[in-house]
Amino acid sequence: MNAVRFSGCVAALVLLPGSATFGDDGRSVRELRYEPVDENRSRTVPVKVYLPEEQNAQPVVLFSHGLGGSRENNAYLGKFWAEAGYVAVFMQHPGSDEDVWKTVSGGQRLAALKSAASAVSSRDRLADVSFVIDQLGVWDKQDGHDLFAKLDLEHIGMSGHSFGAVTTLGVAGQVYPFNRSFADDRIDAFLPMSPQPGKGRDTAKTFGHITRPILCMTGTKDASPIDPTVTPARRREVYAALPPGDKYQLVLFDAEHMAFGDARGLRARRRDPKHHPAIQQISLKFWSAYLKDDAEARSWLQSQQPISGTGLGSDDVWEWK
């Protein structure tokens, strides 16, 4: 280990209007929203796609929002990845999305969120990921669709924050009680933000067998908003349990749970302005290394550059093994 311390589904489809944005380099990114329906589960799984202007097929990066979130979350990542030439597909998970708290009174919202963080929701989310990959395969071959021939589905990344990190680790191959696994072998690399160890199993037995590339991101104040047993130290247990080989961890000093999100207001004022640019740059290098087989990006990851080259400070931690 090295450390640098500078310290098969059938679907119906509803298409919603899209829009176009432009990155800092002037490259156009289309924002497209779809409402595919998994007929096998009678379940709509809304997605927001950030589509780069490239005409040929590009690698795909999936994103799963946190508890009480939506496909609109973490746009700072979706746009950035698309500007760099990835098709970013942001999923929304009914049953653990924003409707959980929007449909109840203020005094009931915390209880509603805790109830939604269930094993049922977790299983639904894992099935959502596989369904969306299936559906992307349909759209990629559907002449006339916006995504026709745009998707390189041989190179797929998966990311998510909080409950989305739980989803990410689930499809990476986390082992659940009774030795159950929901790994999706079509996904090549994983980026869980605010990961957490599974309950009811030894952490090493839960994650110690996963050989595919994983980049964990967390913060020194990254406690759970709903579960006091999930402390910043416990989040770091996930990386510690992973076997050597293409494994990385970024620990941002003083970063709270929402440091990885894009909420506005008071939470945004507490966010270190250096963190989002660093998250963008490091995540992009990770995707380049493992979705585009970029040897230079892999060397960058296995060096001091993720700290010294992104404006982070002496108390932030970068490690790899």
Side-chain angles (χ1 to χ4, degrees):
M1 180 178 71
N2 300 276
V4 177
R5 180 186 296 270
F6 281 74
S7 214
C9 297
V10 179
L13 170 66
V14 178
L15 173 62
L16 298 181
S19 61
T21 60
F22 292 87
D24 294 337
D25 59 1
R27 298 172 72 180
S28 174
V29 173
R30 296 178 67 191
E31 296 180 8
L32 305 167
R33 293 169 178 81
Y34 305 98
E35 305 275 345
V37 178
D38 183 349
E39 300 289 2
N40 291 335
R41 297 184 294 155
S42 299
R43 179 176 171 87
T44 301
V45 185
V47 296
K48 180 179 181 180
V49 179
Y50 298 87
L51 183 66
E53 63 182 349
E54 281 82 354
Q55 295 302 309
N56 55 324
Q58 300 298 315
V60 173
V61 176
L62 306 172
F63 188 88
S64 173
H65 62 76
L67 182 64
S70 78
R71 61 184 171 182
E72 304 298 333
N73 293 157
N74 292 77
Y76 80 98
L77 289 173
K79 293 176 183 177
F80 186 80
W81 294 337
E83 289 163 11
Y86 295 85
V87 180
V89 181
F90 282 48
M91 298 170 284
Q92 184 163 330
H93 305 286
S96 59
D97 62 0
E98 61 186 6
D99 286 345
V100 170
W101 60 269
K102 283 187 172 181
T103 56
V104 299
S105 63
Q108 297 176 315
R109 287 178 175 176
L110 181 58
L113 287 167
K114 288 182 178 181
S115 178
S118 65
V120 171
S121 290
S122 185
R123 288 194 297 270
D124 285 339
R125 283 167 159 261
L126 296 170
D128 289 345
V129 176
S130 295
F131 164 70
V132 167
I133 296 175
D134 290 343
Q135 186 59 47
L136 291 174
V138 173
W139 290 336
D140 184 58
K141 294 178 173 60
Q142 185 176 329
D143 194 3
H145 194 279
D146 290 307
L147 302 182
F148 173 65
K150 299 289 189 182
L151 309 175
D152 175 4
L153 295 173
E154 295 299 315
H155 298 92
I156 301 176
M158 175 73 198
S159 184
H161 177 232
S162 195
F163 205 0
V166 174
T167 306
T168 298
L169 291 168
V171 293
Q174 172 178 346
V175 175
Y176 294 88
F178 307 106
N179 290 318
R180 291 175 299 170
S181 174
F182 301 90
D184 194 314
D185 294 335
R186 295 172 293 182
I187 306 175
D188 302 287
F190 305 85
L191 200 171
M193 302 175 185
S194 302
Q196 65 186 57
K199 296 181 179 180
R201 284 184 60 88
D202 177 81
T203 307
K205 293 180 180 178
T206 301
F207 302 106
H209 63 288
I210 301 177
T211 59
R212 284 177 286 178
I214 295 181
L215 165 56
C216 297
M217 291 187 177
T218 186
T220 60
K221 295 183 179 179
D222 188 5
S224 170
I226 66 168
D227 185 351
T229 69
V230 181
T231 63
R234 290 216 65 206
R235 295 198 189 280
R236 297 174 73 167
E237 292 178 11
V238 174
Y239 173 78
L242 292 168
D246 301 311
K247 306 301 189 301
Y248 307 89
Q249 179 164 250
L250 174 67
V251 183
L252 295 171
F253 179 69
D254 262 357
E256 299 180 357
H257 189 62
M258 294 310 298
F260 303 94
D262 49 10
R264 299 180 181 180
L266 178 60
R267 289 178 176 175
R269 290 197 293 273
R270 294 202 302 259
R271 188 184 302 129
D272 189 321
K274 298 190 300 291
H275 287 169
H276 274 193
I279 293 166
Q280 289 174 320
Q281 293 176 57
I282 294 170
S283 65
L284 182 60
K285 288 289 188 179
F286 181 69
W287 300 136
S288 297
Y290 296 104
L291 301 185
K292 293 187 176 181
D293 197 24
D294 185 333
E296 183 177 343
R298 189 177 293 108
S299 296
W300 187 93
L301 290 168
Q302 297 174 6
S303 75
Q304 302 176 3
Q305 288 299 305
I307 298 292
S308 61
T310 61
L312 293 176
S314 60
D315 292 317
D316 299 297
V317 176
W318 175 253
E319 52 191 337
W320 70 93
K321 58 183 177 180

